[in-house]
Amino acid sequence: MCGIVGYIGSRTAYPIIIKGLQRLEYRGYDSAGIAINDNEIKVYKCKGKVRDLELLTKQKPIGGTVGMGHTRWATHGAPNDCNAHPHRSMHGKFVIIHNGIIENYDHLKKQLAKKGYTFESETDTEVLANLIENFYLDKKVDAETAVKLALTKVIGAYGLVVMCADEPDKLIGCRKGSPLVLGIGEGEYFLASDSTPIIEYTDKMVYLNDEEVVVVTREGIKLTNLKDEIQKLVVTQVDANIDNIDKGQFEHFMLKEIHEQPTSIYDTFRGRISLDKRHIHLGGIADVMPRLAQAKRIIIVACGTSYHAGLVGEYLFEEFARISVEVEYASEFRYRNPIITPDDVIIAISQSGETADTLAAIRMAKQQGALILGICNVAGSSIPRETHAGIYTHAGIEIGVASTKAFTAQVVALTMMAFSLAKKRNMISDERYAALINGLVDVPSKIEEILLNEKAIKAIATEYKNATNAIYLGRGYLYPVALEGALKLKEISYIHAEGYPAAEMKHGPIALIDQNMPVFVLATKDKYYEKVVNNIQEVKARNGKVIAIVSEGDDTIAHMADQVIEVPDCDEALMPLLAVVPLQIISYYIAVMRGCNVDQPRNLAKSVTVE
Ligand code: F6R
């Protein structure tokens, strides 16, 4: 949440920062602002998107080769011009941008008020700017020391970039809880919330650790911690594809990312499945495999779409590896005082690798001795750095706020883990193991087949674009897909939608069904098929509209349902990977037809770095 970007070098900073903000806009789009050292530190900011900021600055020639920018997801204070970042301290000495939350800001604000400070905005960030300035003026120290002194008083999370009017050719970056990446170019440096605004200029990145402070000038970098101890600069070569951050031929990132799934799924199993398709080797967890195989219990922690992937994992691990699994919302798990033992294995699932609740949950479980594994998409992000081992999903950068390709990549990672764990625990025959691996390898081409049907799926979306509610039903492996389908629809089209295990419908939701209620039923040929057919009859008997996702050639449901979408056959354990795709496409087109901003839905942001 909130995107921050900074630049120092020999080029004009303004276009680099604006482009960087556009790349980061998926992290928040309530307001945008920049600060540039153009003879003095000038600040431009406004409510709205980066393009509003561009309009604001259009007539103003902005020079300067040092600067920073911010795109906001509002926490403290409404999204308006005044609350937009950057924030300047009262005496004008400091300008700062911030991602995170200063939890004790009210206490700090009262202390500063007693010293005569007044505040223009409602933000916690302005309090921090004034706190830094207060140390700077009172203690007569340099900017770096003032920042460090202020941060020792702060409770909360921050990814921060600071400019000082007296030391204008310098950026000071620091982080705790919220991410900050330093990009090292040829005679130029970048700071950003993630690598997306940087990869076009350099692939050399340093992921800052908590409580590290980096001082960047044109002459070089100094990395210390809050105690002023020099820290080792660990430079990572980031292997990111620049194509991932452009929409290409597609109108929206979400549609592009839906279409990328054959590739992203392939990339996630490529190199992990042997060429003869008989073995899975997960290098990232190979060392911990013996302990994982002995686990008494697996606890999966995640949020949102990643939580739904975790639910698919529960079915997979229990069926194949015969290990008991609990799937927990990270936000509940971390505060519930859960019972965790060293025999437990925690798997954190997160696209961004930065979700605050998931990160806090694994920290807590780590202290209690559990083995912590991660399934993450963003290399170098916080969660993979804090886990004992893990698997990267190689979905590529996901920009659309609604997660699509990250979900299927997470499910692929969990599927490979479950199958190889089953093998390790001798719970599966060689033949079945090989058949499942072959089935997984066929998934990308089967998704391509579904994507060829996009026009017909779009036509179904047209029928339901004016719905005000929708229900999604599924059983077994497809119950989590029902939840995911409902989440996709509600988050981008603002239609109220709920997912249920199909059998639960009779226990309440059936009361909602009338001729206006679309019911999306996941009804492929698996062991629940007959029961799901009964559920469809129950909906039809109450005049509900049924849109069924069915196996190829299913005549039975075609005669009952209002619309059917066929998906190719596969083992039921792999069906979530196929069945979710038509639901993603339907949500996408419904949202587009309703005029919604698909890639940047209201109130949302990708990478939820506040709890
Ligand atoms: C929904 C969506 C969110 C995320 C959730 C967790 O489309 O994207 O629900 O899945 O915020 O994010 P990560 O996976 O980054 O931890």
Side-chain angles (χ1 to χ4, degrees):
M1 324 204 104
C2 297
I4 60 185
V5 59
Y7 174 79
I8 180 163
S10 53
R11 302 191 234 190
T12 307
Y14 175 80
I16 294 174
I17 292 168
I18 290 289
K19 198 167 185 191
L21 289 180
Q22 284 160 348
R23 300 255 193 254
L24 286 173
E25 208 165 24
Y26 68 94
R27 300 179 69 94
Y29 28 84
D30 290 331
S31 65
I34 50 165
I36 303 266
N37 173 24
D38 186 12
N39 297 320
E40 56 176 322
I41 301 177
K42 293 182 179 155
V43 172
Y44 304 93
K45 56 183 187 172
C46 61
K47 177 180 171 157
K49 308 222 165 176
V50 178
R51 67 169 176 272
D52 298 305
L53 176 67
E54 281 186 280
L55 286 176
L56 176 77
T57 49
K58 207 168 154 197
Q59 307 303 337
K60 307 180 168 93
I62 304 174
T65 52
V66 188
M68 60 190 187
H70 186 271
T71 172
R72 178 171 187 241
W73 186 83
T75 58
H76 291 63
N80 57 30
D81 292 354
C82 180
N83 289 330
H85 298 214
H87 286 282
R88 208 189 280 272
S89 58
M90 195 174 88
H91 301 291
K93 293 288 181 195
F94 286 87
V95 179
I96 77 172
I97 53 175
H98 169 220
N99 165 27
I101 290 186
I102 308 301
E103 286 171 14
N104 58 340
Y105 85 103
D106 196 39
H107 168 74
L108 296 170
K109 192 172 183 174
K110 285 181 183 135
Q111 283 187 336
L112 287 164
K114 279 188 202 148
K115 296 180 177 184
Y117 271 94
T118 55
F119 300 84
E120 288 177 359
S121 75
E122 302 153 86
T123 65
D124 50 344
T125 305
E126 189 187 5
V127 175
L128 182 54
N130 283 329
L131 185 67
I132 296 171
E133 183 180 82
N134 186 241
F135 275 111
Y136 181 75
L137 296 175
D138 267 14
K139 304 263 183 222
K140 301 200 172 14
V141 289
D142 61 12
E144 178 190 344
T145 311
V147 169
K148 287 178 178 167
L149 288 171
L151 290 181
T152 56
K153 302 286 174 210
V154 158
I155 300 170
Y158 50 82
L160 202 66
V161 185
V162 180
M163 292 175 78
C164 175
D166 298 334
E167 303 169 33
D169 280 340
K170 183 182 278 180
L171 295 175
I172 302 172
C174 20
R175 76 155 269 181
K176 185 180 175 193
S178 302
L180 194 64
V181 186
L182 168 73
I184 303 177
E186 294 289 323
E188 58 185 1
Y189 301 95
F190 306 82
L191 282 166
S193 309
D194 61 44
S195 60
T196 45
I198 306 178
I199 47 173
E200 144 169 32
Y201 309 101
T202 177
D203 60 357
K204 292 191 192 65
M205 316 262 175
V206 177
Y207 293 91
L208 264 66
N209 291 312
D210 274 355
E211 303 203 342
E212 283 185 343
V213 178
V214 67
V215 178
V216 192
T217 62
R218 283 189 198 81
E219 286 67 51
I221 314 156
K222 183 178 129 199
L223 186 68
T224 54
N225 61 14
L226 288 184
K227 293 182 195 139
D228 227 13
E229 295 155 339
I230 294 285
Q231 300 297 295
K232 194 163 172 259
L233 211 61
V234 182
V235 182
T236 309
Q237 192 109 359
V238 173
D239 176 23
N241 182 352
I242 191 97
D243 291 347
N244 274 323
I245 54 179
D246 280 319
K247 280 189 271 206
Q249 73 201 57
F250 294 94
E251 206 181 323
H252 296 101
F253 279 108
M254 183 180 175
L255 188 61
K256 175 173 179 255
E257 288 159 2
I258 290 172
H259 277 262
E260 279 171 351
Q261 291 178 108
T263 312
S264 52
I265 288 174
Y266 173 73
D267 286 345
T268 301
F269 66 63
R270 181 166 53 102
R272 290 164 167 164
I273 290 180
S274 62
L275 289 176
D276 63 4
K277 301 184 202 162
R278 298 194 74 80
H279 304 284
I280 296 172
H281 177 73
L282 299 169
I285 56 167
D287 289 350
V288 297
M289 202 59 177
R291 189 164 163 198
L292 178 57
Q294 296 299 317
K296 294 263 182 310
R297 183 172 63 149
I298 293 173
I299 304 171
I300 297 177
V301 290
C303 305
T305 287
S306 299
Y307 172 84
H308 297 154
L311 288 175
V312 178
E314 178 176 30
Y315 285 86
L316 289 163
F317 284 121
E318 293 204 337
E319 175 170 356
F320 292 100
R322 306 299 299 145
I323 300 178
S324 144
V325 178
E326 284 168 27
V327 189
E328 301 265 3
Y329 283 116
S331 53
E332 289 298 313
F333 180 72
R334 63 180 284 201
Y335 285 119
R336 211 190 53 219
N337 197 10
I339 298 158
I340 304 166
T341 74
D343 291 331
D344 291 327
V345 173
I346 312 291
I347 304 178
I349 307 178
S350 174
Q351 186 286 127
S352 62
E354 298 292 351
T355 299
D357 282 321
T358 311
L359 189 55
I362 61 169
R363 283 180 179 157
M364 185 260 286
K366 204 174 186 181
Q367 274 175 0
Q368 300 188 36
L371 173 69
I372 316 289
L373 307 181
I375 295 180
C376 294
N377 195 40
V378 178
S381 56
S382 299
I383 293 172
R385 287 190 295 139
E386 298 211 15
T387 49
H388 294 116
I391 302 178
Y392 276 120
T393 51
H394 294 302
I397 296 167
E398 191 180 61
I399 305 267
V401 165
S403 192
T404 52
K405 64 175 179 172
F407 173 78
T408 44
Q410 289 164 345
V411 173
V412 168
L414 289 160
T415 305
M416 289 190 295
M417 250 172 126
F419 292 171
S420 53
L421 207 48
K423 188 82 183 63
K424 176 94 185 156
R425 287 166 57 85
N426 285 325
M427 297 288 175
I428 193 170
S429 69
D430 287 348
E431 292 69 35
R432 178 93 170 106
Y433 185 55
L436 286 167
I437 295 175
N438 275 272
L440 182 56
V441 170
D442 288 343
V443 164
S445 61
K446 291 184 176 178
I447 293 185
E448 267 159 19
E449 276 180 55
I450 297 171
L451 293 171
L452 288 176
N453 202 16
E454 186 176 339
K455 255 199 186 147
I457 301 174
K458 182 178 174 184
I460 293 174
T462 317
E463 298 273 317
Y464 298 102
K465 67 176 193 296
N466 295 322
T468 46
N469 293 286
I471 291 180
Y472 288 70
L473 302 176
R475 281 179 183 238
Y477 284 104
L478 297 180
Y479 159 54
V481 177
L483 297 180
E484 177 57 10
L487 178 61
K488 284 292 88 83
L489 186 70
K490 70 183 126 186
E491 70 180 324
I492 59 170
S493 71
Y494 321 138
I495 295 173
H496 172 240
E498 299 298 336
Y500 294 101
E504 273 297 298
M505 190 184 61
K506 289 192 276 299
H507 300 283
I510 199 163
L512 296 169
I513 291 176
D514 62 14
Q515 69 284 4
N516 299 318
M517 178 65 87
V519 183
F520 294 86
V521 187
L522 294 145
T524 51
K525 292 225 166 109
D526 55 21
K527 60 175 168 286
Y528 307 101
Y529 178 74
E530 304 298 339
K531 295 189 187 307
V532 176
V533 168
N534 292 339
N535 296 137
I536 292 176
Q537 301 276 27
E538 288 154 11
V539 174
K540 285 314 299 172
R542 284 148 187 95
N543 290 328
K545 298 272 181 288
V546 170
I547 309 97
I549 313 298
V550 298
S551 302
E552 242 160 22
D554 183 332
D555 284 342
T556 314
I557 295 183
H559 285 104
M560 292 173 201
D562 294 83
Q563 282 95 10
V564 290
I565 301 169
E566 293 191 351
V567 292
D569 252 338
C570 68
D571 193 288
E572 66 181 58
L574 300 169
M575 192 47 95
L577 294 165
L578 304 186
V580 76
V581 177
L583 301 186
Q584 295 169 340
I585 299 173
I586 287 182
S587 302
Y588 170 79
Y589 280 111
I590 289 181
V592 170
M593 289 172 204
R594 289 165 73 94
C596 301
N597 186 338
V598 174
D599 283 337
Q600 296 174 346
R602 71 181 179 207
N603 305 339
L604 287 174
K606 213 164 176 74
S607 194
V608 184
T609 52
V610 295
E611 60 170 291

